């Protein structure tokens, strides 16, 4: 008879691990089915109300002028040797200045950093990237090409291809997830880490399993596990879902002065209405459950976490828990009237907080 507290013998441990894995995947696919049923009901409701408009959507053939605004920087491309993929980015600021690398979220692209491209180019070489599968960056067809280790390696390889060995790394939403992982896996490449509205990945995976409210808010993670149907739902009613994410009262940018203009919305519609443009971005999510939880957790560089308290997708309680994984200076700022799209919602405040953090850490090092 085993002693209380003694370790389980290997066969028993394997059974426990297998049972937990079975329960985990049962949860994933069960919730995936629930989310699919809800989406299906919404589709039927739309067909019943406006059958003529439900399946109407248009490819925007010409980019709006804002995507070629010279004040935002120069459109550039770099091909990564190992993967062979070509990445698109917009760069502002002189070459040779310290690099600030910006990673966008979903469903966004480089343009979500337009306010930061203008702001920080005076002292940095600011690069706003289109992540793998987004915008003008190459989009491999198979979902396995979007595993987290591929996305992390992309950032390392791009940094080297740009001629840098370190950077200030800033990420929002899914780009925040990637930024955390790059900081964990390649700490020598990140001088300062700034994340907007995404907790440390370990906090996210632990919190979501214990808080049904966050599980519901993250329902799209599960819905995206389905093939083709999520992409189709985005096209319904001429990309109504995409528009409402940024403009609705529940999820959109709330402050009057910073709401997206009609031209900004057209920029998003231009990018995501292209044939196949949604599959790459959604493929990012189709690998997440096979890659988490993490084996390594600690972040060792100075870190700033900015959070919009009115985030409709991420509960604010995760923000403070994140500090236990940062083994260096950690600063958390929560903005009470801000949405999930924080750097677009309150750009002046966000830019000021970033400047303060960057200069504060520089001063601290000099002392």
């Amino acid at each position: 008879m085993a002693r209380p507290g003694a370790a389980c013998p290997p066969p028993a441990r394997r059974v426990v691990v297998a049972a937990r894995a079975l329960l985990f995947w049962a949860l994933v696919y069960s919730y995936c089915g629930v989310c699919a049923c809800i989406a299906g009901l919404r589709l039927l409701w739309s067909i019943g109300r406006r059958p003529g408009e439900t399946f109407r959507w248009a490819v925007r053939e010409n980019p709006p002028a804002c995507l070629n605004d010279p004040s935002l920087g120069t459109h550039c491309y770099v091909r990564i040797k190992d993967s062979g993929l070509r990445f698109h980015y917009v760069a502002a600021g002189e070459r040779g200045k310290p690099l600030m690398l910006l990673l966008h979220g979903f469903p966004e692209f480089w343009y979500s950093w337009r306010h930061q491209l203008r702001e920080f180019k005076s002292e940095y070489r600011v690069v706003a990237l289109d992540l793998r599968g987004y915008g003008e960056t190459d989009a491999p067809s198979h979902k396995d090409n979007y595993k987290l280790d591929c996305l992390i390696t992309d950032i390392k390889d791009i940094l080297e291809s740009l001629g840098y060995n370190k950077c200030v790394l800033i990420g929002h939403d899914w780009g925040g997830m990637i930024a955390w992982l790059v900081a964990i896996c390649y700490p020598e490449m990140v001088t300062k880490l700034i994340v907007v509205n995404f907790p440390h990945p370990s906090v996210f995976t632990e919190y979501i399993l214990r808080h049904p409210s966050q599980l519901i808010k993250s329902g799209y993670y599960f819905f995206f596990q389905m093939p083709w149907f999520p992409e189709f739902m985005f096209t319904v009613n001429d990309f109504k879902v995409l528009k409402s994410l940024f403009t609705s009262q529940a999820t959109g940018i709330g402050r009057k002065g910073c709401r997206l203009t009609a031209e900004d919305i057209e920029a998003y519609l231009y990018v995501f209405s292209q044939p196949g443009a949604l599959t790459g971005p959604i493929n990012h999510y189709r690998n997440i459950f096979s890659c988490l939880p993490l084996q390594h957790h600690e972040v060792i560089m100075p870190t700033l976490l900015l959070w919009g308290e009115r985030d409709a997708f991420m509960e604010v309680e995760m923000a403070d828990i994140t500090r236990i994984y940062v083994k260096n200076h950690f600063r958390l700022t929560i903005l009470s009237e801000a949405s999930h799209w924080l750097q677009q919602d309150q750009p002046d405040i966000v830019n000021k907080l970033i400047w303060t953090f960057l200069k504060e850490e520089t001063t601290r090092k000099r002392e």
Side-chain angles (χ1 to χ4, degrees):
M1 184 174 179
R3 290 180 289 107
C8 294
R13 186 181 299 117
R14 285 197 294 270
V15 170
V16 170
V17 171
R20 286 179 177 173
L22 181 63
L23 288 171
F24 175 76
W25 287 108
L27 170 66
V28 169
Y29 287 110
S30 296
Y31 197 33
C32 172
V34 170
C35 294
C37 289
I38 293 172
L41 291 173
R42 287 176 176 170
L43 176 62
L44 291 174
W45 176 257
S46 178
I47 293 172
R49 291 184 63 199
R50 300 172 181 173
E53 296 182 14
T54 298
F55 302 106
R56 180 182 63 84
W57 62 277
V59 175
R60 276 68 177 175
E61 296 184 357
N62 300 309
C66 61
L67 293 183
N68 292 307
D69 183 347
S71 72
L72 296 179
T74 305
H75 290 261
C76 307
Y77 302 85
V78 60
R79 188 171 296 277
I80 304 303
K81 291 182 180 179
D82 289 344
S83 67
L85 298 179
R86 189 184 77 154
F87 283 77
H88 168 253
Y89 63 93
V90 172
E94 297 175 8
R95 296 178 184 271
K97 289 183 176 179
L99 178 64
M100 176 181 285
L101 186 59
L102 308 174
L103 310 181
H104 63 79
F106 174 89
E108 299 178 283
F109 62 113
W110 70 266
Y111 187 70
S112 67
W113 297 110
R114 58 196 176 280
H115 302 292
Q116 289 68 45
L117 282 162
R118 292 190 182 101
E119 177 69 21
F120 295 100
K121 64 183 180 181
S122 60
E123 293 189 22
Y124 289 89
R125 174 71 169 173
V126 189
V127 170
L129 188 68
D130 275 344
L131 296 174
R132 177 184 291 223
Y134 281 84
E136 295 184 58
T137 291
D138 287 347
S141 58
H142 200 279
K143 72 173 186 176
D144 286 348
N145 291 312
Y146 296 86
K147 289 183 176 179
L148 286 174
D149 57 350
C150 297
L151 307 179
I152 297 166
T153 303
D154 283 345
I155 305 307
K156 179 183 79 71
D157 292 344
I158 287 166
L159 201 67
E160 294 172 349
S161 297
L162 294 176
Y164 288 85
N165 56 24
K166 58 185 177 180
C167 70
V168 172
L169 186 60
I170 306 181
H172 168 249
D173 183 68
W174 184 260
M177 161 80 87
I178 297 173
W180 282 114
L181 296 176
V182 171
I184 292 167
C185 297
Y186 300 104
E188 70 282 0
M189 293 187 133
V190 182
T191 57
K192 299 175 181 69
L193 175 66
I194 301 169
V195 179
V196 183
N197 278 76
F198 201 93
H200 186 287
S202 294
V203 173
F204 180 68
T205 54
E206 293 166 5
Y207 189 90
I208 195 173
L209 293 174
R210 294 173 180 161
H211 296 80
S213 55
Q214 181 59 54
L215 191 68
I216 293 170
K217 290 180 178 180
S218 301
Y220 61 98
Y221 278 60
F222 299 86
F223 178 54
F224 287 170
Q225 303 310 304
M226 298 186 65
W228 72 264
F229 191 46
E231 289 93 321
F232 169 73
M233 286 301 295
F234 267 92
T235 68
V236 167
N237 290 319
D238 197 31
F239 299 91
K240 181 180 179 180
V241 171
L242 182 65
K243 297 172 190 173
S244 66
L245 281 173
F246 295 104
T247 61
S248 73
Q249 187 174 357
T251 65
I253 295 173
R255 240 172 43 151
K256 285 186 178 180
C258 296
R259 287 176 181 167
L260 297 189
T261 65
E263 191 176 37
D264 292 333
I265 295 294
E266 277 303 308
Y268 279 88
L269 294 175
Y270 169 76
V271 168
F272 290 106
S273 69
Q274 304 306 312
L278 284 159
T279 299
I282 292 176
N283 275 341
H284 281 244
Y285 292 87
R286 289 180 171 135
N287 288 285
I288 188 170
F289 295 112
S290 60
C291 300
L292 296 174
L294 305 176
Q295 292 183 345
H296 305 289
H297 307 276
E298 290 188 355
V299 174
I300 62 171
M301 68 286 302
T303 300
L304 171 65
L305 179 58
L306 300 176
W307 203 281
E309 192 173 22
R310 296 178 63 184
D311 191 327
F313 309 102
M314 293 282 171
E315 295 191 351
V316 69
E317 288 77 12
M318 291 188 286
D320 192 60
I321 303 172
T322 290
R323 70 175 65 249
I324 68 176
Y325 290 101
V326 180
K327 307 305 177 183
N328 202 312
H329 174 66
F330 176 77
R331 170 164 290 189
L332 168 63
T333 301
I334 299 173
L335 302 180
S336 60
E337 296 301 316
S339 69
H340 177 75
W341 321 101
L342 186 56
Q343 78 274 22
Q344 300 184 75
D345 190 332
Q346 299 195 11
D348 294 342
I349 297 174
V350 167
N351 291 345
K352 183 178 179 180
L353 290 169
I354 292 174
W355 274 126
T356 299
F357 174 73
L358 295 175
K359 293 180 182 300
E360 173 192 65
E361 292 306 311
T362 300
T363 303
R364 184 170 298 185
K365 284 190 174 184
R366 286 175 180 172
E367 290 174 354

